[in-house]
Amino acid sequence: MAEINSALSESGYGLPDYIDDCFATFVSPEWRKVGVVQVSNKCCVCGVSHFGNDEYRVCEVLESGSVPGLRWIPGFLGKQEETCVQSRTDLDLLQVWSADDSTNQAMVFGLINFPSWAVSLTNRIHKTKYAFADDKLQRRDPIFDQIIVNEYWPGDGIKPHVDLMKFEDGISSISMGSTCIFRLARLIEGKGGQDMIENKYVDMLLSPGDYLSMCGQARWDWTHGIPARDDDIVDGEPISRLRRVSLTFRRLKPS
């Protein structure tokens, strides 16, 4: 992968650790259906359809009534395509992962430097109706010019943060390899004008192949992150985490 930069501090500005679940209130995401979209069955890595002869398959698009600007497309990547993308990502980043065991993040700047599979995913997002709550974001050219790859192992997490202000509105992410709880909490103004995290949070369970996007309030006014733990409790049952890789697509503001 061309022009890879290891940049552990580049994802966003850090905020305090999560308030313990016992002292905070869970708020339901209140998912509602926006519509359905046709998603290409052509694998962005190998070009093969993993779903027979059908050119497209249908996916639901959901948006959160609790977090304005948050959208979710479960199964944006089919299982076999998700496996292909993760395998190719691992191959492209093998030197990065093996060079430093503490490195779990890599970045590519400039659409011209995107590997072919990332270009294909970028084009798919660009063509997917309802991919953003604000549809004008899909009309910008290029829609993205930076991709960040994060690797998580069981027990890993990421502190609540808002992505750096140098990136424009409209951030997309694709999750691969494992389920995990993705947590959002609203920023409020504290004493002295300092940003604080409200003691209410919204959790969503991401599965391999899922797509999400954040724009507007979800982008600027809500933190997002992943609680650090080995298992997530869903409906009273533990779900063990496995190795997970996430792809995040963003666009830099003009310098």
Side-chain angles (χ1 to χ4, degrees):
M1 186 184 289
E3 303 296 326
I4 293 176
N5 293 306
S6 176
L8 291 171
S9 62
E10 285 289 311
S11 60
Y13 66 80
L15 290 160
D17 288 329
Y18 291 103
I19 298 173
D20 189 280
D21 291 3
C22 297
F23 300 99
T25 304
F26 169 72
V27 178
S28 169
E30 296 180 0
W31 296 110
R32 57 197 179 203
K33 184 176 176 180
V34 177
V36 297
V37 292
Q38 290 185 322
V39 178
S40 174
N41 279 336
K42 185 178 180 181
C43 178
C44 63
V45 174
C46 64
V48 172
S49 173
H50 297 302
F51 293 86
N53 296 323
D54 293 336
E55 186 175 356
Y56 297 98
R57 57 195 166 84
V58 175
C59 291
E60 287 189 341
V61 182
L62 306 173
E63 69 178 4
S64 171
S66 301
V67 186
L70 175 65
R71 285 202 171 168
W72 175 33
I73 306 180
F76 187 71
L77 299 184
K79 178 56 183 174
Q80 288 177 285
E81 183 180 29
E82 178 254 331
T83 300
C84 279
V85 175
Q86 183 171 344
S87 296
R88 184 55 185 266
T89 303
D90 287 344
L91 181 63
D92 286 345
L93 295 177
L94 181 62
Q95 290 182 329
V96 175
W97 299 150
S98 60
D100 183 353
D101 288 342
S102 67
T103 299
N104 65 352
Q105 187 179 90
M107 290 186 176
V108 181
F109 289 88
L111 185 61
I112 192 173
N113 295 314
F114 278 24
S116 59
W117 55 265
V119 173
S120 294
L121 284 175
T122 296
N123 290 336
R124 181 179 296 183
I125 296 169
H126 180 71
K127 294 175 182 178
T128 299
K129 191 176 181 180
Y130 310 126
F132 286 106
D134 184 350
D135 60 6
K136 76 174 183 290
L137 294 173
Q138 288 179 256
R139 298 195 294 271
R140 62 189 182 184
D141 185 26
I143 186 171
F144 305 115
D145 60 11
Q146 192 254 8
I147 181 173
I148 179 171
V149 182
N150 283 298
E151 180 186 43
Y152 302 92
W153 290 92
D156 288 347
I158 182 169
K159 289 184 177 182
H161 67 281
V162 175
D163 281 34
L164 292 172
M165 300 298 113
K166 70 179 182 180
F167 294 105
E168 291 186 2
D169 196 12
I171 297 170
S172 293
S173 180
I174 296 174
S175 186
M176 302 184 297
S178 177
T179 60
C180 80
I181 290 293
F182 185 79
R183 177 166 292 181
L184 299 105
R186 190 168 59 182
L187 283 174
I188 58 175
E189 186 173 326
K191 293 181 179 180
Q194 295 295 313
D195 284 339
M196 296 180 60
I197 300 175
E198 190 176 33
N199 64 342
K200 299 177 182 178
Y201 62 90
V202 173
D203 280 353
M204 60 182 295
L205 179 66
L206 288 176
S207 295
D210 284 3
Y211 165 93
L212 68 83
S213 67
M214 296 175 288
C215 68
Q217 292 184 47
R219 159 69 175 104
W220 303 110
D221 301 333
W222 288 71
T223 67
H224 60 273
I226 299 169
R229 52 198 183 203
D230 293 321
D231 306 283
D232 293 303
I233 305 299
V234 179
D235 296 329
E237 297 294 328
I239 300 178
S240 297
R241 292 186 187 175
L242 306 172
R243 177 178 178 267
R244 176 175 169 269
V245 173
S246 70
L247 308 174
T248 302
F249 299 84
R250 305 183 289 197
R251 174 169 153 150
L252 285 162
K253 291 180 179 178
S255 57

mmCIF file of all heavy atoms in Angstrom, residues 30-73:
data_model
loop_
_atom_site.group_PDB
_atom_site.id
_atom_site.type_symbol
_atom_site.label_atom_id
_atom_site.label_comp_id
_atom_site.label_asym_id
_atom_site.label_seq_id
_atom_site.Cartn_x
_atom_site.Cartn_y
_atom_site.Cartn_z
ATOM 1 N N GLU A 30 -32.705 3.821 18.845
ATOM 2 C CA GLU A 30 -33.983 4.074 18.175
ATOM 3 C C GLU A 30 -33.837 4.036 16.652
ATOM 4 O O GLU A 30 -34.097 5.002 15.943
ATOM 5 C CB GLU A 30 -34.572 5.421 18.613
ATOM 6 C CG GLU A 30 -34.926 5.492 20.083
ATOM 7 C CD GLU A 30 -35.510 6.838 20.481
ATOM 8 O OE1 GLU A 30 -35.638 7.728 19.608
ATOM 9 O OE2 GLU A 30 -35.833 7.016 21.664
ATOM 10 N N TRP A 31 -33.415 2.872 16.154
ATOM 11 C CA TRP A 31 -33.210 2.753 14.714
ATOM 12 C C TRP A 31 -34.536 2.799 13.946
ATOM 13 O O TRP A 31 -35.522 2.218 14.371
ATOM 14 C CB TRP A 31 -32.493 1.435 14.395
ATOM 15 C CG TRP A 31 -31.124 1.358 14.953
ATOM 16 C CD1 TRP A 31 -30.700 0.560 15.971
ATOM 17 C CD2 TRP A 31 -29.992 2.132 14.556
ATOM 18 N NE1 TRP A 31 -29.379 0.783 16.231
ATOM 19 C CE2 TRP A 31 -28.906 1.737 15.374
ATOM 20 C CE3 TRP A 31 -29.783 3.113 13.593
ATOM 21 C CZ2 TRP A 31 -27.639 2.290 15.257
ATOM 22 C CZ3 TRP A 31 -28.518 3.672 13.474
ATOM 23 C CH2 TRP A 31 -27.467 3.258 14.298
ATOM 24 N N ARG A 32 -34.515 3.505 12.840
ATOM 25 C CA ARG A 32 -35.664 3.535 11.949
ATOM 26 C C ARG A 32 -35.177 3.372 10.514
ATOM 27 O O ARG A 32 -34.070 3.794 10.160
ATOM 28 C CB ARG A 32 -36.433 4.840 12.115
ATOM 29 C CG ARG A 32 -35.627 6.109 11.882
ATOM 30 C CD ARG A 32 -36.322 7.321 12.445
ATOM 31 N NE ARG A 32 -35.542 8.544 12.253
ATOM 32 C CZ ARG A 32 -35.678 9.632 12.993
ATOM 33 N NH1 ARG A 32 -36.554 9.649 13.986
ATOM 34 N NH2 ARG A 32 -34.936 10.705 12.761
ATOM 35 N N LYS A 33 -35.995 2.752 9.714
ATOM 36 C CA LYS A 33 -35.621 2.432 8.341
ATOM 37 C C LYS A 33 -35.758 3.656 7.446
ATOM 38 O O LYS A 33 -36.812 4.293 7.399
ATOM 39 C CB LYS A 33 -36.503 1.288 7.829
ATOM 40 C CG LYS A 33 -36.156 0.790 6.437
ATOM 41 C CD LYS A 33 -37.035 -0.401 6.089
ATOM 42 C CE LYS A 33 -36.812 -0.893 4.673
ATOM 43 N NZ LYS A 33 -37.672 -2.056 4.358
ATOM 44 N N VAL A 34 -34.667 3.981 6.744
ATOM 45 C CA VAL A 34 -34.670 5.080 5.782
ATOM 46 C C VAL A 34 -35.143 4.586 4.422
ATOM 47 O O VAL A 34 -35.897 5.246 3.721
ATOM 48 C CB VAL A 34 -33.265 5.702 5.653
ATOM 49 C CG1 VAL A 34 -33.244 6.798 4.599
ATOM 50 C CG2 VAL A 34 -32.796 6.231 6.991
ATOM 51 N N GLY A 35 -34.683 3.416 4.046
ATOM 52 C CA GLY A 35 -35.019 2.837 2.761
ATOM 53 C C GLY A 35 -34.161 1.612 2.514
ATOM 54 O O GLY A 35 -33.493 1.112 3.420
ATOM 55 N N VAL A 36 -34.197 1.116 1.289
ATOM 56 C CA VAL A 36 -33.357 -0.007 0.886
ATOM 57 C C VAL A 36 -32.493 0.429 -0.287
ATOM 58 O O VAL A 36 -32.862 1.328 -1.046
ATOM 59 C CB VAL A 36 -34.194 -1.255 0.516
ATOM 60 C CG1 VAL A 36 -34.960 -1.754 1.717
ATOM 61 C CG2 VAL A 36 -35.145 -0.947 -0.635
ATOM 62 N N VAL A 37 -31.337 -0.187 -0.395
ATOM 63 C CA VAL A 37 -30.406 0.154 -1.470
ATOM 64 C C VAL A 37 -29.919 -1.115 -2.144
ATOM 65 O O VAL A 37 -29.900 -2.190 -1.539
ATOM 66 C CB VAL A 37 -29.188 0.946 -0.939
ATOM 67 C CG1 VAL A 37 -29.608 2.325 -0.464
ATOM 68 C CG2 VAL A 37 -28.490 0.202 0.181
ATOM 69 N N GLN A 38 -29.540 -0.971 -3.392
ATOM 70 C CA GLN A 38 -28.907 -2.064 -4.117
ATOM 71 C C GLN A 38 -27.402 -1.947 -3.948
ATOM 72 O O GLN A 38 -26.818 -0.901 -4.235
ATOM 73 C CB GLN A 38 -29.275 -2.025 -5.595
ATOM 74 C CG GLN A 38 -30.717 -2.388 -5.893
ATOM 75 C CD GLN A 38 -30.984 -2.460 -7.391
ATOM 76 O OE1 GLN A 38 -30.463 -1.669 -8.175
ATOM 77 N NE2 GLN A 38 -31.786 -3.431 -7.797
ATOM 78 N N VAL A 39 -26.785 -3.006 -3.467
ATOM 79 C CA VAL A 39 -25.343 -3.036 -3.244
ATOM 80 C C VAL A 39 -24.728 -4.033 -4.225
ATOM 81 O O VAL A 39 -25.238 -5.153 -4.374
ATOM 82 C CB VAL A 39 -25.017 -3.445 -1.803
ATOM 83 C CG1 VAL A 39 -23.514 -3.520 -1.592
ATOM 84 C CG2 VAL A 39 -25.635 -2.459 -0.816
ATOM 85 N N SER A 40 -23.652 -3.620 -4.882
ATOM 86 C CA SER A 40 -23.019 -4.480 -5.868
ATOM 87 C C SER A 40 -22.544 -5.783 -5.249
ATOM 88 O O SER A 40 -22.007 -5.804 -4.139
ATOM 89 C CB SER A 40 -21.834 -3.762 -6.508
ATOM 90 O OG SER A 40 -21.109 -4.621 -7.364
ATOM 91 N N ASN A 41 -22.750 -6.877 -5.975
ATOM 92 C CA ASN A 41 -22.244 -8.180 -5.540
ATOM 93 C C ASN A 41 -20.828 -8.440 -6.032
ATOM 94 O O ASN A 41 -20.228 -9.458 -5.690
ATOM 95 C CB ASN A 41 -23.164 -9.298 -6.047
ATOM 96 C CG ASN A 41 -24.387 -9.472 -5.171
ATOM 97 O OD1 ASN A 41 -24.369 -9.115 -3.998
ATOM 98 N ND2 ASN A 41 -25.451 -10.009 -5.730
ATOM 99 N N LYS A 42 -20.291 -7.545 -6.832
ATOM 100 C CA LYS A 42 -18.942 -7.729 -7.361
ATOM 101 C C LYS A 42 -17.926 -7.407 -6.275
ATOM 102 O O LYS A 42 -17.865 -6.288 -5.769
ATOM 103 C CB LYS A 42 -18.723 -6.829 -8.580
ATOM 104 C CG LYS A 42 -17.386 -7.041 -9.261
ATOM 105 C CD LYS A 42 -17.268 -6.151 -10.496
ATOM 106 C CE LYS A 42 -15.922 -6.352 -11.195
ATOM 107 N NZ LYS A 42 -15.796 -5.476 -12.382
ATOM 108 N N CYS A 43 -17.132 -8.402 -5.897
ATOM 109 C CA CYS A 43 -16.148 -8.218 -4.834
ATOM 110 C C CYS A 43 -15.138 -7.146 -5.232
ATOM 111 O O CYS A 43 -14.589 -7.169 -6.339
ATOM 112 C CB CYS A 43 -15.432 -9.542 -4.547
ATOM 113 S SG CYS A 43 -14.156 -9.418 -3.270
ATOM 114 N N CYS A 44 -14.878 -6.212 -4.326
ATOM 115 C CA CYS A 44 -13.975 -5.105 -4.651
ATOM 116 C C CYS A 44 -12.515 -5.546 -4.665
ATOM 117 O O CYS A 44 -11.641 -4.782 -5.076
ATOM 118 C CB CYS A 44 -14.174 -3.963 -3.673
ATOM 119 S SG CYS A 44 -13.789 -4.358 -1.973
ATOM 120 N N VAL A 45 -12.227 -6.772 -4.245
ATOM 121 C CA VAL A 45 -10.854 -7.289 -4.266
ATOM 122 C C VAL A 45 -10.624 -8.196 -5.469
ATOM 123 O O VAL A 45 -9.728 -7.964 -6.284
ATOM 124 C CB VAL A 45 -10.528 -8.050 -2.972
ATOM 125 C CG1 VAL A 45 -9.153 -8.714 -3.067
ATOM 126 C CG2 VAL A 45 -10.562 -7.114 -1.779
ATOM 127 N N CYS A 46 -11.462 -9.235 -5.601
ATOM 128 C CA CYS A 46 -11.224 -10.237 -6.651
ATOM 129 C C CYS A 46 -12.138 -10.071 -7.858
ATOM 130 O O CYS A 46 -11.946 -10.749 -8.872
ATOM 131 C CB CYS A 46 -11.373 -11.646 -6.074
ATOM 132 S SG CYS A 46 -13.031 -12.026 -5.482
ATOM 133 N N GLY A 47 -13.138 -9.194 -7.749
ATOM 134 C CA GLY A 47 -14.031 -8.955 -8.878
ATOM 135 C C GLY A 47 -15.061 -10.034 -9.110
ATOM 136 O O GLY A 47 -15.841 -9.969 -10.063
ATOM 137 N N VAL A 48 -15.105 -11.038 -8.254
ATOM 138 C CA VAL A 48 -16.028 -12.165 -8.411
ATOM 139 C C VAL A 48 -17.289 -11.903 -7.596
ATOM 140 O O VAL A 48 -17.231 -11.320 -6.512
ATOM 141 C CB VAL A 48 -15.358 -13.479 -7.930
ATOM 142 C CG1 VAL A 48 -16.354 -14.627 -7.909
ATOM 143 C CG2 VAL A 48 -14.173 -13.814 -8.816
ATOM 144 N N SER A 49 -18.449 -12.310 -8.113
ATOM 145 C CA SER A 49 -19.672 -12.227 -7.341
ATOM 146 C C SER A 49 -19.764 -13.436 -6.417
ATOM 147 O O SER A 49 -19.704 -14.580 -6.863
ATOM 148 C CB SER A 49 -20.902 -12.192 -8.256
ATOM 149 O OG SER A 49 -22.081 -12.283 -7.483
ATOM 150 N N HIS A 50 -19.888 -13.165 -5.125
ATOM 151 C CA HIS A 50 -20.001 -14.246 -4.147
ATOM 152 C C HIS A 50 -21.459 -14.616 -3.882
ATOM 153 O O HIS A 50 -21.748 -15.388 -2.979
ATOM 154 C CB HIS A 50 -19.334 -13.837 -2.828
ATOM 155 C CG HIS A 50 -17.855 -13.595 -2.946
ATOM 156 N ND1 HIS A 50 -16.969 -14.550 -3.387
ATOM 157 C CD2 HIS A 50 -17.111 -12.492 -2.688
ATOM 158 C CE1 HIS A 50 -15.739 -14.057 -3.377
ATOM 159 N NE2 HIS A 50 -15.804 -12.810 -2.958
ATOM 160 N N PHE A 51 -22.359 -14.049 -4.673
ATOM 161 C CA PHE A 51 -23.788 -14.288 -4.465
ATOM 162 C C PHE A 51 -24.440 -14.829 -5.734
ATOM 163 O O PHE A 51 -25.552 -14.471 -6.079
ATOM 164 C CB PHE A 51 -24.486 -12.992 -4.038
ATOM 165 C CG PHE A 51 -24.060 -12.504 -2.680
ATOM 166 C CD1 PHE A 51 -22.944 -11.710 -2.542
ATOM 167 C CD2 PHE A 51 -24.774 -12.859 -1.547
ATOM 168 C CE1 PHE A 51 -22.544 -11.250 -1.289
ATOM 169 C CE2 PHE A 51 -24.384 -12.409 -0.297
ATOM 170 C CZ PHE A 51 -23.268 -11.605 -0.168
ATOM 171 N N GLY A 52 -23.737 -15.693 -6.458
ATOM 172 C CA GLY A 52 -24.310 -16.266 -7.666
ATOM 173 C C GLY A 52 -24.289 -15.288 -8.817
ATOM 174 O O GLY A 52 -23.375 -14.462 -8.947
ATOM 175 N N ASN A 53 -25.323 -15.337 -9.634
ATOM 176 C CA ASN A 53 -25.357 -14.520 -10.838
ATOM 177 C C ASN A 53 -26.000 -13.152 -10.640
ATOM 178 O O ASN A 53 -26.033 -12.339 -11.557
ATOM 179 C CB ASN A 53 -26.114 -15.266 -11.953
ATOM 180 C CG ASN A 53 -25.396 -16.545 -12.369
ATOM 181 O OD1 ASN A 53 -24.159 -16.587 -12.411
ATOM 182 N ND2 ASN A 53 -26.159 -17.592 -12.653
ATOM 183 N N ASP A 54 -26.547 -12.911 -9.455
ATOM 184 C CA ASP A 54 -27.204 -11.631 -9.211
ATOM 185 C C ASP A 54 -26.178 -10.507 -9.170
ATOM 186 O O ASP A 54 -25.149 -10.605 -8.490
ATOM 187 C CB ASP A 54 -27.972 -11.663 -7.890
ATOM 188 C CG ASP A 54 -29.157 -12.622 -7.926
ATOM 189 O OD1 ASP A 54 -29.649 -12.891 -9.041
ATOM 190 O OD2 ASP A 54 -29.570 -13.092 -6.856
ATOM 191 N N GLU A 55 -26.482 -9.424 -9.897
ATOM 192 C CA GLU A 55 -25.544 -8.301 -9.944
ATOM 193 C C GLU A 55 -25.591 -7.485 -8.653
ATOM 194 O O GLU A 55 -24.587 -6.910 -8.227
ATOM 195 C CB GLU A 55 -25.879 -7.397 -11.133
ATOM 196 C CG GLU A 55 -24.866 -6.287 -11.360
ATOM 197 C CD GLU A 55 -25.164 -5.472 -12.612
ATOM 198 O OE1 GLU A 55 -26.119 -5.814 -13.340
ATOM 199 O OE2 GLU A 55 -24.426 -4.500 -12.865
ATOM 200 N N TYR A 56 -26.772 -7.441 -8.037
ATOM 201 C CA TYR A 56 -26.937 -6.649 -6.831
ATOM 202 C C TYR A 56 -27.677 -7.451 -5.765
ATOM 203 O O TYR A 56 -28.356 -8.422 -6.063
ATOM 204 C CB TYR A 56 -27.750 -5.370 -7.114
ATOM 205 C CG TYR A 56 -27.086 -4.423 -8.084
ATOM 206 C CD1 TYR A 56 -27.442 -4.422 -9.431
ATOM 207 C CD2 TYR A 56 -26.121 -3.524 -7.658
ATOM 208 C CE1 TYR A 56 -26.844 -3.553 -10.332
ATOM 209 C CE2 TYR A 56 -25.514 -2.654 -8.554
ATOM 210 C CZ TYR A 56 -25.885 -2.670 -9.880
ATOM 211 O OH TYR A 56 -25.287 -1.809 -10.758
ATOM 212 N N ARG A 57 -27.527 -7.019 -4.529
ATOM 213 C CA ARG A 57 -28.351 -7.524 -3.442
ATOM 214 C C ARG A 57 -28.923 -6.312 -2.711
ATOM 215 O O ARG A 57 -28.444 -5.175 -2.885
ATOM 216 C CB ARG A 57 -27.547 -8.406 -2.490
ATOM 217 C CG ARG A 57 -26.350 -7.750 -1.896
ATOM 218 C CD ARG A 57 -25.390 -8.759 -1.270
ATOM 219 N NE ARG A 57 -24.111 -8.140 -1.004
ATOM 220 C CZ ARG A 57 -23.827 -7.435 0.085
ATOM 221 N NH1 ARG A 57 -24.740 -7.304 1.027
ATOM 222 N NH2 ARG A 57 -22.649 -6.889 0.259
ATOM 223 N N VAL A 58 -29.930 -6.543 -1.920
ATOM 224 C CA VAL A 58 -30.640 -5.445 -1.271
ATOM 225 C C VAL A 58 -30.238 -5.361 0.205
ATOM 226 O O VAL A 58 -30.199 -6.370 0.909
ATOM 227 C CB VAL A 58 -32.168 -5.635 -1.397
ATOM 228 C CG1 VAL A 58 -32.909 -4.559 -0.608
ATOM 229 C CG2 VAL A 58 -32.574 -5.591 -2.864
ATOM 230 N N CYS A 59 -29.935 -4.159 0.663
ATOM 231 C CA CYS A 59 -29.607 -3.915 2.064
ATOM 232 C C CYS A 59 -30.499 -2.800 2.603
ATOM 233 O O CYS A 59 -30.829 -1.855 1.885
ATOM 234 C CB CYS A 59 -28.141 -3.487 2.235
ATOM 235 S SG CYS A 59 -26.919 -4.760 1.904
ATOM 236 N N GLU A 60 -30.861 -2.933 3.869
ATOM 237 C CA GLU A 60 -31.608 -1.864 4.523
ATOM 238 C C GLU A 60 -30.663 -0.764 4.999
ATOM 239 O O GLU A 60 -29.515 -1.032 5.374
ATOM 240 C CB GLU A 60 -32.365 -2.410 5.741
ATOM 241 C CG GLU A 60 -33.564 -3.262 5.411
ATOM 242 C CD GLU A 60 -34.386 -3.585 6.644
ATOM 243 O OE1 GLU A 60 -33.854 -3.464 7.769
ATOM 244 O OE2 GLU A 60 -35.556 -3.971 6.479
ATOM 245 N N VAL A 61 -31.152 0.464 4.960
ATOM 246 C CA VAL A 61 -30.425 1.606 5.523
ATOM 247 C C VAL A 61 -31.202 2.088 6.740
ATOM 248 O O VAL A 61 -32.402 2.354 6.660
ATOM 249 C CB VAL A 61 -30.286 2.751 4.504
ATOM 250 C CG1 VAL A 61 -29.487 3.900 5.112
ATOM 251 C CG2 VAL A 61 -29.632 2.255 3.221
ATOM 252 N N LEU A 62 -30.506 2.176 7.871
ATOM 253 C CA LEU A 62 -31.128 2.587 9.127
ATOM 254 C C LEU A 62 -30.497 3.882 9.616
ATOM 255 O O LEU A 62 -29.316 4.141 9.368
ATOM 256 C CB LEU A 62 -30.953 1.498 10.191
ATOM 257 C CG LEU A 62 -31.421 0.090 9.807
ATOM 258 C CD1 LEU A 62 -31.030 -0.899 10.899
ATOM 259 C CD2 LEU A 62 -32.921 0.054 9.570
ATOM 260 N N GLU A 63 -31.292 4.700 10.291
ATOM 261 C CA GLU A 63 -30.742 5.893 10.926
ATOM 262 C C GLU A 63 -31.202 5.958 12.366
ATOM 263 O O GLU A 63 -32.259 5.421 12.729
ATOM 264 C CB GLU A 63 -31.118 7.156 10.168
ATOM 265 C CG GLU A 63 -32.573 7.543 10.234
ATOM 266 C CD GLU A 63 -32.865 8.843 9.489
ATOM 267 O OE1 GLU A 63 -31.933 9.392 8.867
ATOM 268 O OE2 GLU A 63 -34.019 9.300 9.527
ATOM 269 N N SER A 64 -30.408 6.626 13.181
ATOM 270 C CA SER A 64 -30.690 6.699 14.603
ATOM 271 C C SER A 64 -31.577 7.896 14.908
ATOM 272 O O SER A 64 -31.299 9.016 14.469
ATOM 273 C CB SER A 64 -29.385 6.804 15.397
ATOM 274 O OG SER A 64 -29.643 7.075 16.753
ATOM 275 N N GLY A 65 -32.637 7.644 15.685
ATOM 276 C CA GLY A 65 -33.457 8.741 16.154
ATOM 277 C C GLY A 65 -32.847 9.452 17.345
ATOM 278 O O GLY A 65 -33.266 10.551 17.705
ATOM 279 N N SER A 66 -31.846 8.832 17.967
ATOM 280 C CA SER A 66 -31.207 9.407 19.149
ATOM 281 C C SER A 66 -29.960 10.208 18.808
ATOM 282 O O SER A 66 -29.596 11.132 19.539
ATOM 283 C CB SER A 66 -30.836 8.301 20.147
ATOM 284 O OG SER A 66 -31.974 7.577 20.540
ATOM 285 N N VAL A 67 -29.273 9.835 17.723
ATOM 286 C CA VAL A 67 -28.031 10.508 17.315
ATOM 287 C C VAL A 67 -28.238 11.043 15.904
ATOM 288 O O VAL A 67 -28.024 10.322 14.923
ATOM 289 C CB VAL A 67 -26.824 9.548 17.357
ATOM 290 C CG1 VAL A 67 -25.530 10.314 17.084
ATOM 291 C CG2 VAL A 67 -26.747 8.822 18.688
ATOM 292 N N PRO A 68 -28.654 12.294 15.750
ATOM 293 C CA PRO A 68 -28.892 12.841 14.410
ATOM 294 C C PRO A 68 -27.631 12.786 13.552
ATOM 295 O O PRO A 68 -26.550 13.174 13.983
ATOM 296 C CB PRO A 68 -29.296 14.297 14.697
ATOM 297 C CG PRO A 68 -29.814 14.288 16.101
ATOM 298 C CD PRO A 68 -28.981 13.262 16.824
ATOM 299 N N GLY A 69 -27.775 12.266 12.341
ATOM 300 C CA GLY A 69 -26.641 12.183 11.422
ATOM 301 C C GLY A 69 -25.936 10.843 11.420
ATOM 302 O O GLY A 69 -24.975 10.660 10.663
ATOM 303 N N LEU A 70 -26.405 9.888 12.243
ATOM 304 C CA LEU A 70 -25.795 8.553 12.293
ATOM 305 C C LEU A 70 -26.601 7.591 11.435
ATOM 306 O O LEU A 70 -27.814 7.436 11.647
ATOM 307 C CB LEU A 70 -25.757 8.054 13.738
ATOM 308 C CG LEU A 70 -25.244 6.614 13.950
ATOM 309 C CD1 LEU A 70 -23.766 6.492 13.564
ATOM 310 C CD2 LEU A 70 -25.459 6.179 15.402
ATOM 311 N N ARG A 71 -25.949 6.961 10.459
ATOM 312 C CA ARG A 71 -26.605 5.964 9.615
ATOM 313 C C ARG A 71 -25.825 4.656 9.632
ATOM 314 O O ARG A 71 -24.614 4.633 9.854
ATOM 315 C CB ARG A 71 -26.752 6.477 8.181
ATOM 316 C CG ARG A 71 -27.867 7.521 8.086
ATOM 317 C CD ARG A 71 -28.432 7.691 6.723
ATOM 318 N NE ARG A 71 -29.624 8.535 6.775
ATOM 319 C CZ ARG A 71 -30.209 9.052 5.713
ATOM 320 N NH1 ARG A 71 -29.729 8.792 4.502
ATOM 321 N NH2 ARG A 71 -31.283 9.804 5.834
ATOM 322 N N TRP A 72 -26.555 3.569 9.351
ATOM 323 C CA TRP A 72 -26.004 2.219 9.488
ATOM 324 C C TRP A 72 -26.582 1.351 8.380
ATOM 325 O O TRP A 72 -27.791 1.338 8.159
ATOM 326 C CB TRP A 72 -26.383 1.689 10.872
ATOM 327 C CG TRP A 72 -26.032 0.281 11.198
ATOM 328 C CD1 TRP A 72 -24.943 -0.437 10.778
ATOM 329 C CD2 TRP A 72 -26.764 -0.594 12.074
ATOM 330 N NE1 TRP A 72 -24.952 -1.686 11.334
ATOM 331 C CE2 TRP A 72 -26.061 -1.809 12.137
ATOM 332 C CE3 TRP A 72 -27.935 -0.457 12.815
ATOM 333 C CZ2 TRP A 72 -26.498 -2.900 12.894
ATOM 334 C CZ3 TRP A 72 -28.372 -1.520 13.574
ATOM 335 C CH2 TRP A 72 -27.662 -2.730 13.609
ATOM 336 N N ILE A 73 -25.687 0.646 7.671
ATOM 337 C CA ILE A 73 -26.112 -0.325 6.659
ATOM 338 C C ILE A 73 -25.542 -1.683 7.060
ATOM 339 O O ILE A 73 -24.376 -1.986 6.785
ATOM 340 C CB ILE A 73 -25.639 0.050 5.241
ATOM 341 C CG1 ILE A 73 -26.078 1.471 4.884
ATOM 342 C CG2 ILE A 73 -26.187 -0.947 4.211
ATOM 343 C CD1 ILE A 73 -25.652 1.924 3.489
#
